[in-house]
């Protein structure tokens, strides 16, 4: 079981595409990898979950960790491209009330660029 992150930038937004399973076995590794990829000048983060096959409560804590890190004046955060199974977990846990959830990466970029 592994987790990978592919990085990309869109203007001032940092995009972390998470690939694999985000659970108790991989959440710490994923959190540390995202943290190490964030620079001092990064004020916006999109977590692209298109290639995330599963998320557990440990994975939800990672999302919450970065939502908190990117909250406040001048900071932006969103998750996007959720599969049906991940979207169901996000919805049931009511995380969709805590974070911006966009249908696609381009929607997330637009959503955060407008805010």
């Amino acid at each position: 079981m592994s987790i990978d992150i592919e990085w990309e930038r869109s203007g001032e937004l940092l995009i972390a595409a998470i690939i694999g399973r985000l659970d108790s076995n991989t959440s710490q590794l994923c959190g540390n990898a995202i943290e190490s990829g964030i620079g001092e000048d990064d004020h916006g983060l999109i977590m692209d979950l298109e290639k995330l096959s599963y998320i557990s409560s440990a994975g939800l804590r990672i999302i919450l960790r970065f939502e908190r890190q990117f909250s406040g004046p001048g900071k932006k955060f969103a998750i996007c491209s959720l599969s049906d199974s991940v979207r169901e977990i996000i919805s049931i846990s009511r995380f969709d009330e805590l974070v911006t959830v966009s249908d696609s990466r381009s929607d997330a970029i637009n959503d955060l660029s407008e805010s």
Side-chain angles (χ1 to χ4, degrees), residues 4-60:
D4 289 314
I5 300 172
E6 292 178 352
W7 294 99
E8 195 174 310
R9 288 195 180 275
S10 177
E12 297 180 359
L13 298 172
L14 181 62
I15 301 167
I18 302 171
I19 303 163
R21 293 175 54 93
L22 190 48
D23 55 25
S24 60
N25 293 324
T26 60
S27 63
Q28 185 173 357
L29 176 65
C30 180
N32 292 342
I34 293 173
E35 189 68 47
S36 67
I38 297 170
E40 288 182 24
D41 295 332
D42 290 321
H43 299 290
L45 176 65
I46 296 171
M47 293 176 73
D48 185 330
L49 307 182
E50 181 177 17
K51 297 179 182 174
L52 187 70
S53 60
Y54 174 78
I55 190 166
S56 71
S57 60
L60 293 174

Side-chain angles (χ1 to χ4, degrees), residues 2-113:
S2 67
I3 191 97
D4 289 314
I5 300 172
E6 292 178 352
W7 294 99
E8 195 174 310
R9 288 195 180 275
S10 177
E12 297 180 359
L13 298 172
L14 181 62
I15 301 167
I18 302 171
I19 303 163
R21 293 175 54 93
L22 190 48
D23 55 25
S24 60
N25 293 324
T26 60
S27 63
Q28 185 173 357
L29 176 65
C30 180
N32 292 342
I34 293 173
E35 189 68 47
S36 67
I38 297 170
E40 288 182 24
D41 295 332
D42 290 321
H43 299 290
L45 176 65
I46 296 171
M47 293 176 73
D48 185 330
L49 307 182
E50 181 177 17
K51 297 179 182 174
L52 187 70
S53 60
Y54 174 78
I55 190 166
S56 71
S57 60
L60 293 174
R61 285 191 295 275
I62 294 300
I63 291 173
L64 186 58
R65 170 181 167 185
F66 290 104
E67 187 281 330
R68 287 181 177 161
Q69 184 173 336
F70 283 89
S71 66
K75 303 233 176 180
K76 302 172 184 184
F77 178 81
I79 60 175
C80 69
S81 306
L82 284 62
S83 67
D84 290 342
S85 61
V86 171
R87 183 176 300 277
E88 183 178 9
I89 293 167
I90 295 292
S91 177
I92 289 170
S93 64
R94 295 190 165 177
F95 263 66
D96 54 354
E97 296 175 12
L98 300 172
V99 302
T100 299
V101 180
S102 302
D103 289 334
S104 67
R105 184 183 288 198
S106 61
D107 286 348
I109 292 167
N110 289 335
D111 292 344
L112 295 188
S113 296

